[in-house]
Amino acid sequence: MEAGELDRRLGATWSTPPGLWGALSTVDHKIIGRRYIVTAFVFLALGGVLSLLMRLQLAQPEARFIGPDRYNQIFTMHGSNMMFLFAVPVMQAMAIYLVPLMVGTRHIAFPRLNAFSYWMYLAGGLLLWIAFAVDTGPDVGWFAYVPLSGPQYAAGKRADIWAQMITFTEVSALAIAVEIVVTVFKQRAPGMSLDRIPLFVWSMLVTSFLVILAMPAIMIASTSLILDRLVGTHFFNPAEGGDVLLWQHLFWFFGHPEVYIIFLPAVGMVSSIVATFTQRPVFGYLAMVMALIATGVLAFGLWVHHMFVAGLPRLGESFFTASSMAIAVPAGLQIFCWLATIWAGRPIFKAPFLFVIGFIVVFVIGGLTGVMVASVPFDTQVHDTYFVVAHFHYVLVGGAVFPLLGAVYYWFPKLTGRMMSESLGRWSFGLIFSGFNLTFFPMHILGLQGMPRRIYTYQPEMPWAGLNMFISLSGIILAAGFLLFFIDAIRSARSGPIAPANPWGASTLEWATSSPPPSYNFARLPVVESLEPLSDRADPLGFVEGLHTDRREVLITSVVEARAEARESSVGNSIWPLLAALATSAMLIWSIFTPWAVVWGSIPIAIALIGWFWPKGDPEDES
Ligand code: HEM
Ligand SMILES: [Cu+2]
């Protein structure tokens, strides 16, 4: 078949109808991925506004700007929003968009579940922010420790909102994790054996397993909490045989891996950017993959380092100190692999690469203070002070936000078909890098001087005023950098220079198709013969044929060797995922008010699921 004719037929089969109906019923992983990314960045901006409000209040001693009650809501909203509505979702959103392209398939596995997961995430985010707008935002910290979040001390609906928001976002996160695992294991392009998978895809695979293993812990915790609060169970009430520490164990069994759920995708992004901007494959592919897996395993063995002052047995504490320090080994290994690649390559210092350099500097500092707080005596000193606030922002912003901004500059052409501005990119990097360090480095000192975290004001007698003013002013530089980034992204998405298929000369499959890719991703499915399919060969990529063009089909390949095994039909657009998400959301929100919601609310959910799974009849079966 001629190329033009092939494109036309595939386009007719795969495209999303225009207009509102198309937008609500689409299952295209690229449309959903883009939507997800944009939504997550909106939450980043909202969370950033909250942090500026906190810094405004803390700039001077005894400020009267925000009272204690609102302040509690604001830091809780900031932390919960950043962790549950920005950091994890944005990484998964990048994966929804990129992974199918990088493994060379036409569609993500379980496309309808993918649509459903976005709507659930959106509903959870709206629930949290609407509650905050009407002065019912949660105020118990992003970790919601019992008994402070329990029925005794947290009257009203605030803590219930927090607990339900967790359920929304985790349902969404778990669904995406399953889609990614299946897409990577069963839908890779023929020839993409396990040792030819791009590092970003590896990182998302390991991350997805972390999500699957960690997220249920927090869902159990938040569901037990809401049962304690609404139907009088006593999971966390010691007077009735419950256990308060159980909360902390469940929370941090999720909460520590959470940091790696955010960091490992960033490792993958950094590896892609380093390989492209040094024009050579990342040094030590196998070592990088092993380090990803080792980090994933170790991440589950050190949650107790968040509980050193909770009064646990000494022997346990030393075990968790040792494992916390051990995790620096794979992280260090990865850093050295990148440095070796940069050293041996010919680095081109474009905006995406600058953010990678910023990442390495900031993340290493965060790692060093991490080793410090892993030691029990030191942690006992600085626990719940600004030292810890400084440490975890170095890790989170260094480990996730810097790589992510680099990734947006890098993949922007693939996402939108246009380029971002290189000069604005440099400016925004400069402002964010300097603003970040000026804002957060002094917090280490404040912490050592004893300033506790989560306080809404302090007395003028304390020696903290000068540094606090300095931090708040630096926060404005940081915010200006982000503002510039947002302006550049919005402007470039509309009117940036048109991007070619492979503007950076990269070597992985997502660059083998146009920018942005057509609805069917690849007109001819690529065949992979090496780790760097686009750069190792002078002749064009090989391809497979034989998939139907008049109905949606994907190629299924074997797990290890990626040998072609079968054709499988992929579903078309459907409104049922949206309706199922609406029904589930109604049930979850209603159940904050009465347990009967679980009974009556399941009826619309059942109807939506029947519609979703109604058999259409596979044309293959008849022929
Ligand atoms: C980029 C600019 C940011 C600024 C200026 C900022 C500022 C702050 C401030 C002032 C606090 C309150 C500290 C306290 O009283 O304990 C805080 C807490 C927190 N931040 Fe940020 N933050 C930023 C970005 C982020 C990001 C990107 C994340 C996560 C990915 C994050 C996660 C958190 C968490 C988890 C808390 C703890 C909230 C709690 O104690 O409940 N922050 N931040
Ligand atoms: Cu931890």
Side-chain angles (χ1 to χ4, degrees):
M1 200 184 304
E2 224 184 281
E5 172 65 7
L6 183 64
D7 285 330
R8 200 192 53 75
R9 285 200 198 176
L10 283 168
T13 306
W14 285 90
S15 61
T16 295
L20 184 64
W21 182 256
L24 298 180
S25 64
T26 185
V27 292
D28 185 330
H29 74 96
K30 299 178 293 300
I31 296 178
I32 295 171
R34 243 183 336 242
R35 204 178 264 174
Y36 229 123
I37 296 170
V38 170
T39 313
F41 270 96
V42 170
F43 286 128
L44 170 69
L46 289 170
V49 170
L50 293 183
S51 64
L52 286 178
L53 290 177
M54 284 190 279
R55 287 317 316 173
L56 193 59
Q57 165 69 16
L58 292 173
Q60 283 173 303
E62 294 193 324
R64 291 273 162 275
F65 176 59
I66 301 175
D69 178 65
R70 257 300 180 186
Y71 193 86
N72 285 348
Q73 286 186 58
I74 290 179
F75 78 68
T76 303
M77 285 292 293
H78 169 78
S80 307
N81 170 81
M82 287 299 194
M83 301 303 269
F84 296 109
L85 299 178
F86 163 66
V88 175
V90 82
M91 296 301 179
Q92 292 193 312
M94 294 292 278
I96 292 173
Y97 190 92
L98 290 170
V99 165
L101 294 168
M102 291 178 101
V103 303
T105 181
R106 290 216 168 117
H107 215 175
I108 197 164
F110 313 129
R112 287 188 184 172
L113 188 63
N114 194 26
F116 175 77
S117 73
Y118 172 75
W119 298 120
M120 286 299 285
Y121 159 68
L122 184 65
L126 289 177
L127 168 68
L128 187 68
W129 277 92
I130 291 172
F132 177 67
V134 298
D135 206 13
T136 316
D139 55 356
V140 286
W142 84 281
F143 37 78
Y145 281 175
V146 293
L148 281 182
S149 61
Q152 228 184 334
Y153 296 100
K157 291 292 168 205
R158 292 176 172 187
D160 303 308
I161 303 273
W162 183 88
Q164 285 316 63
M165 182 275 296
I166 297 296
T167 304
F168 277 94
T169 50
E170 309 312 74
V171 164
S172 158
L174 281 165
I176 300 174
V178 171
E179 294 154 23
I180 298 291
V181 168
V182 176
T183 307
V184 175
F185 275 154
K186 294 304 293 177
Q187 291 185 202
R188 302 200 305 278
M192 187 183 277
S193 49
L194 287 183
D195 54 351
R196 292 177 187 163
I197 300 182
L199 284 171
F200 177 71
V201 176
W202 261 116
S203 77
M204 284 313 308
L205 185 63
V206 177
T207 303
S208 299
F209 278 108
L210 292 191
V211 169
I212 292 168
L213 293 169
M215 299 275 179
I218 180 96
M219 286 178 77
I220 290 170
S222 67
T223 307
S224 311
L225 174 66
I226 210 160
L227 288 173
D228 272 10
R229 295 177 52 85
L230 298 176
V231 295
T233 56
H234 294 287
F235 286 105
F236 304 116
N237 180 2
E240 298 288 335
D243 187 349
V244 255
L245 271 187
L246 173 65
W247 174 270
Q248 291 198 29
H249 281 297
L250 285 173
F251 185 86
W252 290 115
F253 183 80
F254 142 83
H256 189 83
E258 164 100 339
V259 177
Y260 293 93
I261 290 170
I262 297 166
F263 170 60
L264 291 183
V267 169
M269 294 170 174
V270 168
S271 297
S272 295
I273 296 173
V274 165
T276 298
F277 289 89
T278 58
Q279 298 293 321
R280 64 191 338 272
V282 171
F283 180 80
Y285 175 84
L286 192 62
M288 290 295 282
V289 174
M290 291 302 151
L292 283 169
I293 297 174
T295 311
V297 174
L298 277 176
F300 285 98
L302 31 87
W303 75 93
V304 167
H305 67 205
H306 296 270
M307 302 164 62
F308 281 155
V309 298
L312 297 167
R314 285 281 166 73
L315 185 65
E317 291 186 343
S318 27
F319 172 80
F320 286 96
T321 293
S323 54
S324 306
M325 292 185 176
I327 204 157
V329 175
L333 184 87
Q334 288 161 334
I335 304 261
F336 282 116
C337 286
W338 293 316
L339 289 180
T341 316
I342 297 171
W343 189 259
R346 282 162 278 125
I348 304 164
F349 291 92
K350 289 250 171 91
F353 196 66
L354 291 179
F355 279 100
V356 165
I357 308 271
F359 151 78
I360 294 180
V361 173
V362 172
F363 186 74
V364 166
I365 298 177
L368 291 177
T369 54
V371 175
M372 291 164 77
V373 292
S375 111
V376 178
F378 187 83
D379 184 64
T380 310
Q381 279 298 312
V382 299
H383 183 79
D384 269 348
T385 69
Y386 264 81
F387 190 91
V388 174
V389 179
H391 156 69
F392 72 70
H393 282 88
Y394 264 82
V395 179
L396 288 169
V397 179
V401 179
F402 275 91
L404 180 71
L405 297 181
V408 171
Y409 272 96
Y410 178 60
W411 277 299
F412 199 80
K414 202 46 71 185
L415 286 158
T416 65
R418 293 175 186 273
M419 308 291 288
M420 284 176 81
S421 152
E422 179 61 28
S423 61
L424 284 184
R426 282 161 189 266
W427 270 102
S428 103
F429 169 73
L431 287 171
I432 292 177
F433 185 76
S434 53
F436 174 81
N437 284 294
L438 293 172
T439 306
F440 285 97
F441 198 84
M443 288 190 194
H444 293 110
I445 304 168
L446 272 183
L448 293 174
Q449 289 175 345
M451 177 163 162
R453 57 191 286 207
R454 304 184 204 112
I455 52 171
Y456 84 105
T457 194
Y458 49 92
Q459 275 81 46
E461 298 84 70
M462 296 302 185
W464 307 327
L467 273 181
N468 268 305
M469 177 57 89
F470 179 81
I471 289 173
S472 295
L473 291 176
S474 309
I476 297 172
I477 305 180
L478 180 56
F482 275 105
L483 194 63
L484 208 58
F485 170 83
F486 279 113
I487 292 173
D488 187 13
I490 294 168
R491 214 200 45 157
S492 304
R494 296 207 184 133
S495 57
I498 302 282
N502 188 1
W504 314 112
S507 63
T508 35
L509 282 185
E510 76 273 28
W511 304 102
T513 182
S514 62
S515 306
S519 55
Y520 42 89
N521 289 358
F522 300 91
R524 296 190 154 93
L525 289 187
V527 174
V528 172
E529 289 168 15
S530 73
L531 184 57
E532 304 234 298
L534 299 195
S535 72
D536 288 1
R537 40 186 308 132
D539 46 339
L541 274 177
F543 57 84
V544 260
E545 273 186 297
L547 290 189
H548 282 285
T549 52
D550 55 349
R551 55 176 182 264
R552 297 185 176 200
E553 273 189 343
V554 292
L555 186 68
I556 303 295
T557 50
S558 63
V559 175
V560 177
E561 305 269 299
R563 235 175 299 170
E565 276 181 341
R567 295 181 275 136
E568 191 158 287
S569 54
S570 184
V571 293
N573 299 335
S574 162
I575 196 71
W576 289 109
L578 172 60
L579 297 180
L582 284 174
T584 316
S585 303
M587 189 270 268
L588 287 176
I589 294 173
W590 189 12
S591 68
I592 299 178
F593 300 95
T594 162
W596 281 102
V598 179
V599 177
W600 300 122
S602 60
I603 296 171
I605 296 181
I607 296 172
L609 289 181
I610 290 170
W612 179 329
F613 290 104
W614 195 261
K616 288 269 168 51
D618 190 343
E620 200 82 319
D621 296 343
E622 286 142 35
S623 61

